[in-house]
Amino acid sequence: MKSKKAQMKAEAELQRKDDSLKIWDPNRREHWKTYDVHGFQSTFTAINRDGLFNAIAGWEYVFRFRGECAEQILLETSIFSVFDETLMASVDSVLAPIVKGFVDQCDQVKIIRVKIQFKNNEVYRGTLSKKTAWSLVPNWEEESDDFKVDITTPNYLHNYLGATYKGKCEDNIYVLILLRNQSDIWRQNASFSNMEEVANAFVEEYSAQCGKVNQINFILPYAPAGYYCEGGTKCSMVARKEDGWQLTFANTKTVGSRTYLVKNYLDFFDYFSKDVNTNALMEYSDYFKVFYEDFIEVYGDICKENLGPYTTFEIQTVSTKYDLNGVPYPPEKVGPPQVVNIENQNIARYRKFGGQNNQLQMEKMLSAEVQSRQSNSTGGYLNVISRRLSERNSLTNYVIAQCGSQSFKDAYDRINLFAKRLD
C-alpha cells in the first residue's frame, strides 16, 4: 500500500495536471476556476465543451465576459460616479485577477480592451496587452485581427434590434441590423430612428476599436411602414469617417414616391403577366410565398391539363385543443381532405414555403388577437383567416377565367422562376 505521503503527492500531481487543463476540457474534473490576486477574485466557468465560457470579477462594480477565447477581449462595466483618476487604482485591483484568468485560459489573447461607463455618460477606454505587461493604459490604440462588436437596443417599445460584427479590423465593412424578434407586432413598432440608434451605437464602438475603418454599411432587415427600398434590394444606411460618421440612407424612398404597390394576390399578375423586371417584388417576398402556396394549389386543381409530370396529395386540416395545463387533446379532422396536384419540380419548394407560411400565419394571428384585445375591438385572428380565404376565392375566380390562355401559362412559368429566387 502507498504511504499517506505518497498518496498526498499523487493527489497533488493529479490536481496539478487537472489545473493545467482548460475549464472546458472534458477531461477536467471541475469546469470552473477561481483566480486570486491580492484578495481580489475572478471566476471562469465553462458553458459548454466547445470553448464558450463566462468570466466575472468585482463586487461593487463588475466586469463580465461571455464568449469564446479570441485575440482581443472586451470587458465592460458601469460605475455610478463621475470619472476620477484615484478611482482607477481600484479598477486595476479588480482587473488583475480577471486578466490573470484570461492569460491562463486563453492562449491566443493579445489585447484586453476595457470600457467603463461613468455617471453623466462619461466613458473611459483603456487597453491591457502583452506589450504593456498587462498594465492598464488609456485609450484603445492597439488592434488585433480578431474582435467582436455586439449592439442591442434597450427593451422599450418592444423593439429588439441588434448589430453584430466578428472578425478583422477592416477599412470598409457590411453589417446586418437584425430583428431579435420576428413577429409582426415588433416589426410595426421598429422605425428608422430605432435602426439609426443601433447603427450609431455600432459606429461609435467599431470606430473606437478599429482605427483604420473609413466606411460602415448597414443592411436593414426591412422597410418600415411608409418606406420601400429601390430596385428590390435591402434598404441600407452608410456611415463614413469623412462625413463625421453621419448616417445617410442609400436607397430608401417613401411610399408616396413609388409607382407600384402590391395590395392583394391579383396585383402580382400585373407583373407576371408581362415579361418585365420583377426585382421590385423582392420587397414582398413573405407575402409572395403565401400567394405562391395558394396559387400552386388552385392552378393544379383548375388547370391540371397544363401541368407537366405531377403528384397528387391529400391535405387534411386538423384542429388541436389544449387543456388548462397546456396538454393537447387528440387532434380532430376539420372537413374533408383537400386534393392538390403539384408539378414534381415544384414539390420541395411548395412544402418549404408552406412550412414558412404556417409560422407567419400564426404570428399574424397572434399579433391581430393581441391588438384586438388591447383595443377592445372584434375580429382578432378571425380577420387574418377571413382575409386569406377572401384572397383565395378571388384567385380561384381569376384562374378559372385565365386557365386556357397562353399568356397565363407564361405567367405561371414566370411565377415559378421568381419563386426559385426565394428558395
Side-chain angles (χ1 to χ4, degrees):
M1 292 182 62
K2 290 184 179 179
S3 66
K4 186 175 181 179
K5 185 176 181 180
Q7 287 179 334
M8 291 176 63
K9 184 177 180 181
E11 180 63 29
E13 177 64 18
L14 184 62
Q15 183 65 46
R16 186 189 66 78
K17 290 182 179 179
D18 195 54
D19 276 347
S20 68
L21 300 175
K22 305 303 182 187
I23 54 174
W24 47 80
D25 192 309
N27 296 314
R28 183 180 169 87
R29 291 178 294 177
E30 295 177 334
H31 300 291
W32 59 273
K33 191 170 182 179
T34 298
Y35 297 87
D36 191 303
V37 179
H38 303 310
F40 291 88
Q41 287 189 335
S42 68
T43 301
F44 285 66
T45 306
I47 297 174
N48 60 29
R49 300 296 168 257
D50 297 322
L52 190 65
F53 66 95
N54 278 329
I56 184 170
W59 185 250
E60 292 184 7
Y61 51 90
V62 177
F63 287 98
R64 286 187 175 89
F65 178 85
R66 176 187 171 92
E68 298 176 343
C69 285
E71 289 183 7
Q72 182 169 291
I73 299 294
L74 176 63
L75 297 176
E76 299 179 89
T77 193
S78 295
I79 298 178
F80 297 103
S81 63
V82 296
F83 176 75
D84 185 347
E85 288 287 353
T86 60
L87 184 63
M88 298 308 294
S90 65
V91 170
D92 281 332
S93 298
V94 173
L95 284 171
I98 200 168
V99 170
K100 183 178 180 181
F102 276 111
V103 173
D104 182 43
Q105 293 294 328
C106 303
D107 296 333
Q108 66 265 50
V109 67
K110 295 179 180 178
I111 301 168
I112 297 178
R113 294 274 175 81
V114 177
K115 180 181 178 182
I116 305 173
Q117 187 86 32
F118 287 92
K119 192 176 179 180
N120 300 326
N121 294 322
E122 294 176 282
V123 176
Y124 170 86
R125 290 184 172 90
T127 305
L128 304 112
S129 67
K130 288 184 177 180
K131 293 181 181 179
T132 63
W134 300 111
S135 296
L136 183 63
V137 296
N139 300 320
W140 287 354
E141 296 180 351
E142 291 195 44
E143 297 172 359
S144 79
D145 285 337
D146 178 17
F147 69 93
K148 180 177 181 179
V149 177
D150 193 357
I151 301 295
T152 302
T153 54
N155 178 17
Y156 61 87
L157 292 179
H158 306 295
N159 296 328
Y160 288 97
L161 294 171
T164 300
Y165 179 88
K166 184 177 181 180
K168 295 184 178 182
C169 175
E170 302 282 2
D171 170 75
N172 185 14
I173 65 167
Y174 288 81
V175 182
L176 292 175
I177 291 181
L178 302 172
L179 284 166
R180 303 300 197 197
N181 188 308
Q182 295 288 336
S183 69
D184 279 357
I185 192 168
W186 271 263
R187 173 174 294 199
Q188 290 167 5
N189 284 332
S191 64
F192 272 133
S193 62
N194 302 133
M195 298 177 193
E196 284 181 298
E197 180 183 8
V198 174
N200 281 322
F202 186 94
V203 166
E204 179 183 357
E205 199 72 17
Y206 190 91
S207 61
Q209 294 201 52
C210 177
K212 69 181 181 182
V213 64
N214 289 306
Q215 180 167 316
I216 302 176
N217 308 277
F218 295 96
I219 311 303
L220 310 187
Y222 61 87
Y227 296 84
Y228 76 102
C229 312
E230 284 188 306
T233 60
K234 288 283 189 181
C235 290
S236 60
M237 293 187 292
V238 178
R240 298 181 179 89
K241 180 187 285 188
E242 63 184 20
D243 299 328
W245 295 117
Q246 292 295 313
L247 288 168
T248 58
F249 295 104
N251 62 337
T252 307
K253 301 294 182 182
T254 60
V255 169
S257 65
R258 72 198 301 175
T259 57
Y260 68 91
L261 189 66
V262 174
K263 304 179 295 295
N264 53 54
Y265 280 179
L266 299 188
D267 284 339
F268 281 114
F269 290 105
D270 289 339
Y271 293 86
F272 294 116
S273 61
K274 306 166 190 174
D275 187 12
V276 296
N277 190 330
T278 56
N279 281 341
L281 297 181
M282 294 297 288
E283 177 187 350
Y284 300 97
S285 58
D286 287 345
Y287 187 32
F288 174 84
K289 291 177 182 179
V290 180
F291 158 79
Y292 183 81
E293 181 184 10
D294 286 345
F295 174 69
I296 288 296
E297 291 177 359
V298 171
Y299 188 89
D301 178 32
I302 298 171
C303 307
K304 185 167 66 173
E305 65 278 6
N306 294 348
L307 299 177
Y310 67 88
T311 301
T312 299
F313 299 92
E314 279 195 356
I315 301 176
Q316 178 64 62
T317 302
V318 297
S319 173
T320 303
K321 298 180 180 179
Y322 298 82
D323 64 21
L324 294 176
N325 296 316
V327 178
Y329 293 110
E332 299 177 359
K333 294 181 180 180
V334 179
Q338 176 189 358
V339 177
V340 296
N341 307 303
I342 311 295
E343 276 196 313
N344 294 340
Q345 62 180 351
N346 298 327
I347 290 174
R349 189 179 311 112
Y350 164 77
R351 286 175 169 167
K352 179 180 179 180
F353 286 1
Q356 294 171 347
N357 293 338
N358 288 340
Q359 178 66 28
L360 183 64
Q361 284 292 105
M362 288 297 296
E363 291 175 354
K364 284 188 173 182
M365 289 165 64
L366 175 61
S367 173
E369 189 65 17
V370 169
Q371 291 178 332
S372 175
R373 294 185 182 187
Q374 288 177 341
S375 60
N376 293 319
S377 59
T378 59
Y381 72 90
L382 293 176
N383 287 338
V384 177
I385 298 173
S386 176
R387 179 182 175 182
R388 185 167 182 182
L389 290 175
S390 175
E391 292 254 55
R392 187 174 175 116
N393 288 337
S394 298
L395 178 65
T396 300
N397 293 332
Y398 182 85
V399 172
I400 290 173
Q402 300 290 328
C403 188
S405 71
Q406 183 58 47
S407 62
F408 187 64
K409 295 176 184 177
D410 292 340
Y412 171 78
D413 292 336
R414 294 187 190 110
I415 287 170
N416 280 304
L417 283 173
F418 185 78
K420 285 181 181 180
R421 296 173 62 184
L422 304 179
D423 194 351

